[in-house]
Amino acid sequence: MTASEPAQYAVFGQPVAHSLSPRIHNAFARQLGIALEYRPIESSAEGFAAALKKFADLGGAGANVTLPLKQVAAKACASLSDRARRADSVNTLSRSGDGWHGDSTDGVGLIRDITSRHRLFVRGRRTLLLGAGGAARAVAFALLDAGVPELTIANRTPERADALADAIGQPKRVHTRYWDDLGNWGAFDLLINATSAGHGGAALSLPSSLLAPRAVCYDLSYGKAAFGFLAWARSVGAEHALDGLGMLIEQAAEAFELWHGQRPDTDALYAELRAYVPGNAED
Ligand code: ATR
C-alpha cells in the first residue's frame, strides 16, 4: 500500500458474500469524509489464520469477522480488550504492530439497538439465550451488564452452554438448560436467538410456553435467516419481534469509532437499509 491509497478494511466470514458490512462501513466513511476500502473475504475457520496473514501482508488495517469465526479470531489476536477476553469472542480486529488487537462490539450493539433505537428496557427482564457460539458469548456478558436479573442459556450442544456459564461464573444468576427439555424451562421476558440455525434454513421448534406476557423476542440475524424465529415469535404473541439489523449497524458504528476515532450517525442508514431488509413489522 502506498500513502495515496485508502486504508484497507474487510469482513471475514463464511458465507460472507451477502454481508451488509461493506455497505455500512462505506456509508459511514462517506458520512465522515474518511477514505477507506472495505471488502468481504470468504474464509473458513481452518483457513482464517492464513487469510488474515495475507490481508495483513497486503496492508490490511482493520477487519470484522462474522460467523463462524468469532472464537477463532480471538485466538488469532496478539492482544484482546477486556470484553473480548471474557467473552472469548472477537468481531473487530485492529492492526497493532506486527499483530492484531481484538475487540467485541456485538454486545454493546445489541443493547444500544434494544434500548436506544427500539426504546425498550432490558433491566429486570428474565432472559433466555438460545445458542452458545461466538455471537451468543458476546451478548451474554452485555445482557448481564445491562441488568438482566437471570440468564438461562440453552444450546444444541450442551457442553458449550455449560462452558459459557462457567466463563461467566455467576451461578445464582446464570443457568443452563437442555435443548430437549424446552417445555419445562418456564417463561421469559426477553428471548434472544443467537443460533445460526436460520442461516442453514433450519427451523427451531420452540413451545409457546417460553413467552411471558409482553415478551420481547430478538434474533441476532436479519433477512431470511431471521424469518423463522420472528414468525414463531409473532405467532405465539410476542409483544415485540425484532431482527438484528439494528445490532449489525450499531456494532459496526462501534467498530468504526475504534478504527477512525469518530462516531457515525446510524439512524439514516438504519432507515435506508430497513427499506429493503424486511424484518421488524413495527418499524
Ligand atoms: P456465531 O459466531 O454466529 O455464534 P458459531 O460460533 O458457529 O457462530 O455458533 C453457532 C451457534 O448456532 C451455536 O450455538 C450452534 O449450536 P452448536 O454449538 O450445537 O453447534 C447453533 N446452531 C447452529 N445450527 C443450529 C440448529 N440447527 N439448531 C440449533 N442450534 C444451532
Side-chain angles (χ1 to χ4, degrees):
M1 192 179 73
T2 68
S4 59
E5 285 173 1
Q8 301 293 313
Y9 293 85
V11 56
F12 292 78
Q14 190 169 57
V16 82
H18 298 293
S19 167
L20 288 175
S21 290
R23 185 165 170 176
I24 293 170
H25 279 270
N26 285 319
F28 289 161
R30 273 195 306 280
Q31 183 193 119
L32 293 167
I34 292 169
L36 59 83
E37 272 177 18
Y38 188 113
R39 64 196 161 97
I41 298 177
E42 187 84 17
S43 169
S44 65
E46 298 72 34
F48 178 67
L52 187 63
K53 179 168 186 322
K54 189 171 164 197
F55 179 63
D57 290 345
L58 293 172
N64 290 125
V65 303
T66 186
L67 74 141
L69 304 174
K70 289 176 181 175
Q71 287 185 269
V72 178
K75 291 184 180 47
C77 289
S79 61
L80 296 173
S81 68
D82 288 345
R83 60 189 175 184
R85 184 178 309 106
R86 67 181 186 168
D88 187 29
S89 175
V90 159
N91 75 336
T92 304
L93 297 98
S94 307
R95 197 97 171 100
S96 167
D98 289 339
W100 294 94
H101 177 71
D103 204 341
S104 173
T105 67
D106 283 328
V108 71
L110 171 70
I111 301 301
R112 220 171 258 153
D113 187 48
I114 295 177
T115 59
S116 299
R117 174 161 296 108
H118 297 293
R119 307 215 169 274
L120 298 166
F121 62 94
V122 171
R123 181 171 295 279
R125 289 189 188 269
R126 289 188 61 216
T127 299
L128 172 63
L129 179 62
L130 299 168
R137 294 184 67 98
V139 303
F141 287 90
L143 288 162
L144 290 162
D145 288 349
V148 306
E150 251 184 83
L151 182 69
T152 298
I153 307 167
N155 194 50
R156 182 178 60 179
T157 309
E159 293 76 16
R160 277 180 107 183
D162 291 340
L164 175 54
D166 287 349
I168 294 168
Q170 297 188 43
K172 289 200 176 119
R173 248 178 122 190
V174 179
H175 316 280
T176 57
R177 293 279 179 271
Y178 286 113
W179 196 264
D180 294 339
D181 199 23
L182 283 162
N184 299 317
W185 291 353
F188 299 89
D189 309 303
L190 175 61
L191 289 81
I192 309 267
N193 181 22
T195 75
S196 56
H199 290 272
L204 298 178
S205 166
L206 303 168
S208 59
S209 58
L210 291 177
L211 262 71
R214 313 200 66 192
V216 174
C217 292
Y218 194 108
D219 197 312
L220 302 193
S221 305
Y222 58 89
K224 271 193 197 147
F227 278 9
F229 179 74
L230 296 182
W232 168 80
R234 288 186 193 107
S235 74
V236 294
E239 188 169 57
H240 299 276
L242 306 171
D243 74 352
L245 179 65
M247 171 182 165
L248 178 78
I249 294 172
E250 296 307 321
Q251 64 76 28
E254 182 86 3
F256 193 94
E257 188 175 6
L258 287 170
W259 289 333
H260 308 293
Q262 292 185 70
R263 185 159 199 95
D265 175 68
T266 57
D267 288 344
L269 184 63
Y270 180 78
E272 183 188 323
L273 295 180
R274 182 84 281 164
Y276 80 91
V277 179
N280 299 343
E282 55 207 84
D283 278 331

